[in-house]
């Protein structure tokens, strides 16, 4: 079952015909993104958020990006 986290994280991304997260840091640990399994967009008021379901080969993580603040959140983790 997924655990809701909602914490700010640092994410290293590649900009190439979109955004692709490749590494993120959470609670002092670095997580390599082995695969982006799904991506989608949602709205929070007037701001369009970008969401990415990613895996490090073990767990599934949901990252969200707010382009108006340039802030990344780790939304949830599913071990």
């Amino acid at each position: 079952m997924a655990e809701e986290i909602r914490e700010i994280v640092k994410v290293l991304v590649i900009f190439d015909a979109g955004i692709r997260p490749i590494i993120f840091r959470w609670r002092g640990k670095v997580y390599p993104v082995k695969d982006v399994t799904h991506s989608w967009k949602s709205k929070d008021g007037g701001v369009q958020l970008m969401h990415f379901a990613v895996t490090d080969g073990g767990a599934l993580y949901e990252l969200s990006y707010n382009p108006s603040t340039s802030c990344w959140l780790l939304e949830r983790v599913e071990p």
Side-chain angles (χ1 to χ4, degrees):
M1 179 166 188
E3 176 185 356
E4 190 165 322
I5 304 295
R6 305 243 342 128
E7 292 180 21
I8 294 174
V9 292
K10 293 187 179 190
V11 181
L12 181 63
V13 300
I14 293 176
F15 290 92
D16 183 27
I19 298 175
R20 183 185 186 291
I22 56 170
I23 294 173
F24 67 95
R25 177 176 285 168
W26 174 45
R27 295 181 179 171
K29 186 174 175 191
V30 174
Y31 296 82
V33 174
K34 292 195 175 185
D35 192 26
V36 176
T37 61
H38 187 63
S39 63
W40 66 98
K41 295 178 182 178
S42 70
K43 282 204 168 194
D44 182 13
V47 177
Q48 185 165 316
L49 303 175
M50 302 172 74
H51 299 266
F52 302 87
V54 302
T55 182
D56 63 353
L60 185 64
Y61 306 89
E62 181 188 336
L63 299 169
S64 68
Y65 176 63
N66 182 331
S68 70
T69 62
S70 297
C71 184
W72 285 87
L73 287 179
L74 176 59
E75 299 281 355
R76 359 188 118 62
V77 176
E78 188 169 334

